[in-house]
Amino acid sequence: MRFIFLTMDGNHAAALRLAADLLRRDHNVELNLGLYDATRLRSADDWARLEEEVAQADFVFGSMLFGEDFVRPLQRALAQVACPICIITSNPTLIRMTRIGKLSLAKKEEPEGQPSIFQQWSKKLRPAKSGHGEGQRQLAMLRNLGKIMKHIPGKARDLHTYIAVHQYWMHGSPENLQRMLCMLIDRYVPSFTGRLPQHDPIEYPDVALIHPDSNAPFADLESYRKWLTKKNQELPRGHPNQEPRAKQRGVVGLLSLRTVALSGNTAHLNGLFRALERRGLEVRMAYGAGLDFRPAIEKFFTQSQHRAHNHHGTSSPYQATVDVLLNGAGFSLIGGMAESRPEEATAVLHQLDVGYYDMIPLSFQRVEEWRCDDTGLSPIQVAMNVAVPELDAATEPLVFG
């Protein structure tokens, strides 16, 4: 049995491999994974290999697929696929290729007369427009719809599947991805029908603090500090982290994405965290659920104050509790990969009133390619990780993982 996963970046790859290992350990199910991202689809041979694989796959899943260089070739590759296809939060053209069980999101001529409830709900899932904002619209609607669809029998089960995979994927820990695989295999691989358990997704906080030594996120600063104090008491005498916060050299706010944090694809973030700690700095690493980091900034990097004017002359309802802000996601502060809202981002930065730096994870090319190619960053990385963040006033773009 083989499942193909298509993404622009490889953030979920490690978690998917671990999920497949858990599936083998817990349920004795052997699942082979084909993992494709932007770094693995460069040449004509790469695309030919993908077409061969999807033709033999038992299921194809895709997420966050944008850009003409990827959308049109993927559309051609998936056009003749016989197995179920599920595409979420991607270009509308690809989302419409979703076909699982009796659910199809392809554009159809609506029959005359009053459409059924199932047809009405299916229509809501068809993308209305392009861009990351469309993905946010779908997610907000799906969170509410899924609570209802779970309890409706019959062909509505396929609609529930499409709703549920959004939640499993956006809360993409290895445990949740294992649950997603169990659901997809049980429902869409005929020889496994009724053999695997069905569990709801584990839901994680929309914003949280994370630490390299903790297996779970912290939903509030108080619980994080309590855990950190206990941990630091166990460190060797003289370790920089044993110094009181008042004696530390400063506080660094580090931002990431929930999908990155939960998937475990954090070696670059953890390395940066450790390096800053060794310099006597306190590091607060926080994630956001989407590409609007305002909730994380306000909850973990600020405190309320009576309105005062900063050195920009703007009035701010809160005061920064960090001395510098690092965007470890590499994208715009508010908006997304396919859009940016610089006016809103600069308003937040004016209120925060600290330095803001642009850290670039190589999501769309390999480290070796970046090092060996005289052009450095690929065009898509330059656009998303340099040009768009500059509109927010991010400075000093630096590749860090």
Side-chain angles (χ1 to χ4, degrees):
M1 179 170 47
R2 188 162 180 79
F3 276 36
I4 305 298
F5 286 86
L6 306 168
T7 60
M8 284 294 291
D9 57 55
N11 282 329
H12 285 77
L16 281 167
R17 293 189 185 99
L18 184 52
D21 290 341
L22 294 173
L23 197 64
R24 184 182 308 108
R25 184 197 69 185
D26 297 341
H27 306 294
N28 197 31
V29 173
E30 291 287 340
L31 176 65
N32 294 318
L33 299 175
L35 306 177
Y36 285 86
D37 57 47
T39 67
R40 297 195 61 195
L41 292 171
R42 296 288 177 80
S43 67
D45 289 342
D46 294 337
W47 287 104
R49 184 174 64 252
L50 173 64
E51 290 184 7
E52 290 178 6
E53 287 217 36
V54 295
Q56 302 173 26
D58 294 283
F59 200 97
V60 176
F61 179 90
S63 176
M64 297 302 287
L65 300 168
F66 297 99
E68 290 298 309
D69 290 346
F70 297 95
V71 171
R72 298 309 171 196
L74 283 174
Q75 185 182 16
R76 290 192 295 270
L78 298 177
Q80 304 302 319
V81 171
C83 71
I85 300 172
C86 182
I87 308 293
I88 65 173
T89 58
S90 296
N91 181 283
T93 299
L94 295 178
I95 290 177
R96 293 188 186 105
M97 301 192 78
T98 292
R99 185 186 66 250
I100 47 176
K102 296 179 180 179
L103 173 67
S104 172
L105 297 186
K107 274 189 172 181
K108 298 178 181 177
E109 292 295 329
E110 301 294 345
E112 293 184 4
Q114 181 66 29
S116 67
I117 293 176
F118 181 77
Q119 289 171 332
Q120 293 178 45
W121 283 340
S122 297
K123 188 175 180 180
K124 285 179 180 292
L125 296 176
R126 295 173 191 158
K129 56 184 180 180
S130 301
H132 187 76
E134 169 62 13
Q136 292 299 313
R137 180 196 70 82
Q138 286 185 324
L139 289 175
M141 182 270 297
L142 291 171
R143 275 192 289 268
N144 296 321
L145 192 56
K147 298 175 184 178
I148 302 172
M149 295 301 302
K150 177 182 177 182
H151 303 286
I152 301 178
K155 61 183 179 181
R157 186 189 69 163
D158 300 317
L159 185 56
H160 173 262
T161 296
Y162 190 73
I163 294 167
V165 294
H166 285 77
Q167 293 298 93
Y168 289 117
W169 192 256
M170 297 305 170
H171 295 267
S173 63
E175 294 79 11
N176 267 341
L177 294 182
Q178 181 198 21
R179 294 182 180 198
M180 184 181 81
L181 291 173
C182 282
M183 180 185 70
L184 296 178
I185 293 170
D186 185 86
R187 292 184 178 183
Y188 301 107
V189 180
S191 58
F192 286 87
T193 302
R195 287 180 51 183
L196 296 174
Q198 309 288 298
H199 296 294
D200 291 337
I202 303 167
E203 293 198 4
Y204 298 91
D206 284 343
V207 295
L209 288 165
I210 55 176
H211 190 284
D213 296 328
S214 174
N215 294 324
F218 300 88
D220 57 82
L221 188 56
E222 182 180 356
S223 62
Y224 175 74
R225 281 180 168 163
K226 184 177 179 180
W227 173 86
L228 193 60
T229 298
K230 182 178 179 181
K231 171 186 172 296
N232 289 343
Q233 288 173 348
E234 301 171 357
L235 294 172
R237 185 187 296 270
H239 192 281
N241 285 1
Q242 288 188 327
E243 293 184 0
R245 286 198 302 272
K247 291 186 177 180
Q248 291 181 326
R249 296 180 180 179
V251 183
V252 177
L254 176 58
L255 293 169
S256 185
L257 295 168
R258 184 173 64 183
T259 52
V260 175
L262 296 181
S263 71
N265 184 29
T266 55
H268 56 305
L269 293 165
N270 294 344
L272 178 60
F273 189 107
R274 302 292 193 196
L276 293 170
E277 270 194 335
R278 287 194 294 270
R279 298 194 177 199
L281 296 165
E282 178 189 347
V283 186
R284 292 184 207 158
M285 182 160 57
Y287 72 62
L291 288 167
D292 182 346
F293 289 108
R294 282 174 293 191
I297 290 172
E298 292 175 6
K299 188 167 187 177
F300 302 119
F301 302 155
T302 68
Q303 62 184 11
S304 299
Q305 67 169 6
H306 296 296
R307 283 191 173 269
H309 287 81
N310 57 30
H311 75 267
H312 297 287
T314 58
S315 177
S316 176
Y318 50 71
Q319 179 181 12
T321 57
V322 297
D323 299 293
V324 67
L325 180 64
L326 307 182
N327 186 344
F331 302 117
S332 57
L333 195 67
I334 300 172
M337 292 197 301
E339 65 173 317
S340 175
R341 302 203 292 273
E343 296 83 3
E344 297 174 47
T346 52
V348 171
L349 293 171
H350 276 306
Q351 292 178 337
L352 199 62
D353 201 24
V354 299
Y356 176 51
Y357 294 91
D358 180 21
M359 312 298 292
I360 304 174
L362 293 175
S363 301
F364 308 110
Q365 65 187 121
R366 297 184 180 92
V367 174
E368 295 77 13
E369 292 173 337
W370 170 69
R371 286 175 174 164
C372 297
D373 192 334
D374 289 340
T375 60
L377 292 173
S378 65
I380 190 171
Q381 292 265 183
V382 171
M384 292 186 176
N385 303 127
V386 179
V388 172
E390 278 184 352
L391 298 176
D392 298 346
T395 60
E396 301 295 332
L398 176 68
V399 172
F400 78 118

